[in-house]
Amino acid sequence: MTPIGRLTAHDVDQARAAIRPFLPPTPLIVARSAGRRRVLLKLETAQPTGSFKVRGALFNLLRQPETSAGFVAASAGNSGPT
């Protein structure tokens, strides 16, 4: 992983490959008022959690070393279960 603020296409490809088996793909929709350019909207609200946040949380968990104790997630509302 690169230093904070230096996200590369390789980083994105690694994350995509890691989480792909666990999350369904979300649809791309063509924006209606895009003018001359084709603008695609990625509907992350179609995720089981209704948000893109599951992607980052899952990738972070997958990068952690395995332990017999498992993991506990806590949140004040941004990434925790509802």
Side-chain angles (χ1 to χ4, degrees):
M1 187 64 66
T2 56
I4 294 175
R6 299 284 185 158
L7 186 67
T8 67
H10 178 71
D11 296 331
V12 174
D13 288 339
Q14 279 187 313
R16 180 178 52 204
I19 66 174
R20 175 174 268 158
F22 302 98
L23 295 172
T26 54
L28 289 172
I29 305 296
V30 178
R32 285 190 209 160
S33 59
R36 292 177 166 187
R37 294 181 182 236
R38 185 172 178 216
V39 176
L40 300 174
L41 305 175
K42 182 82 166 149
L43 298 184
E44 291 300 310
T45 54
Q47 285 293 344
T49 59
S51 170
F52 69 92
K53 295 172 188 170
V54 68
R55 293 182 183 277
L58 178 58
F59 184 55
N60 185 32
L61 283 173
L62 292 171
R63 293 176 44 215
Q64 303 304 315
E66 285 191 42
T67 67
S68 60
F71 292 96
V72 174
S75 174
N78 263 349
S79 290
T82 56

